[in-house]
Amino acid sequence: EPVKLLQTVLNALVAQEPKQLPKQNIVVVLAMEAREVDAEAKVRELRQAYASYFLDIYATYHPPGIDGEVPGKASNYRWAVKMIEEYLFNPSLRSRSARSVHFDPMCSLVHVLDADSLVDKGYLSEVSYHFCTQTDRYYQWYQPVMLQSLNFWDVPIVTRLTSMMIGVHEMACLSDPITFQVPFSTWGVPF
């Protein structure tokens, strides 16, 4: 993905409220594909620009050619979660500012955002509140309402119509808390 698109997502995370939330609680994991030629350069550029806004920025590089694995988002996600587990239990993998932080996996959430996903500035604090107050928190799946609008006018009309219908369906599901919603590209789960 282009750096400019990744910057848009990181800007949405920087804007999370309360203002201290990103710096004190968010570790951004850039789940990159090792086969992407300029992946490391992108990570360096993003770290340089955004390191002061987050607790840490950690990068994973999904290697190509793992036996039995189909290249794509799911395999990259699987690799990233494996690396996040190592990050949580091995402080030497963290930046200096995050090495002294104790991460309790039972109190950690992993949020997946596509490179074109933007979340509302109150999304992460709302999810954190519900995670902390619900007794069945480890059985919850958190997903914002998906409104596919970032590149709305750049896609064909059929795609726009489909996106509008998905948005209407997502909004309708908000009125019924037991409605099953299929997770899209942006969601969070307890670690």
Side-chain angles (χ1 to χ4, degrees):
E1 301 290 348
V3 169
K4 189 170 179 92
L5 188 57
L6 297 172
Q7 289 171 333
T8 304
V9 175
L10 290 174
N11 287 336
L13 293 175
V14 168
Q16 291 297 298
E17 293 182 351
K19 290 293 183 201
Q20 68 272 20
L21 181 71
K23 184 63 179 165
Q24 293 177 355
N25 298 294
I26 296 177
V27 174
V28 172
V29 178
L30 300 170
M32 311 298 280
E33 289 288 349
R35 67 180 183 268
E36 185 179 356
V37 176
D38 56 348
E40 290 184 19
K42 286 180 186 178
V43 169
R44 275 193 305 277
E45 183 177 340
L46 293 169
R47 273 190 180 134
Q48 183 176 10
Y50 291 92
S52 64
Y53 294 103
F54 299 104
L55 179 59
D56 202 359
I57 296 178
Y58 178 62
T60 66
Y61 300 93
H62 176 234
I66 295 176
D67 284 341
E69 192 175 79
V70 176
K73 180 177 177 173
S75 57
N76 189 1
Y77 170 73
R78 182 178 162 274
W79 180 264
V81 168
K82 184 178 172 182
M83 297 297 101
I84 291 168
E85 184 175 22
E86 288 185 24
Y87 175 93
L88 288 174
F89 295 108
N90 186 352
S92 68
L93 295 175
R94 305 177 199 157
S95 68
R96 285 190 193 132
S97 61
R99 284 192 186 139
S100 62
V101 176
H102 168 72
F103 291 101
D104 182 352
M106 297 302 289
C107 296
S108 299
L109 292 163
V110 175
H111 289 273
V112 175
L113 284 83
D114 272 359
D116 60 352
S117 296
L118 303 178
V119 293
D120 181 77
K121 63 183 177 183
Y123 172 69
L124 292 176
S125 61
E126 188 71 17
V127 168
S128 298
Y129 170 79
H130 285 285
F131 178 75
C132 291
T133 59
Q134 293 176 333
T135 56
D136 61 347
R137 69 180 132 264
Y138 301 112
Y139 305 101
Q140 297 295 319
W141 190 282
Y142 303 95
Q143 176 180 311
V145 172
M146 295 297 297
L147 299 175
Q148 300 169 340
S149 60
L150 191 61
N151 62 344
F152 189 78
W153 297 110
D154 300 331
V155 297
I157 185 71
V158 174
T159 305
R160 278 184 271 172
L161 291 171
T162 303
S163 295
M164 285 173 45
M165 293 308 297
I166 289 170
V168 168
H169 178 262
E170 288 282 304
M171 297 295 271
C173 288
L174 290 176
S175 65
D176 185 359
I178 62 169
T179 298
F180 176 74
Q181 290 181 268
V182 177
F184 282 93
S185 61
T186 304
W187 41 268
V189 292
F191 187 76

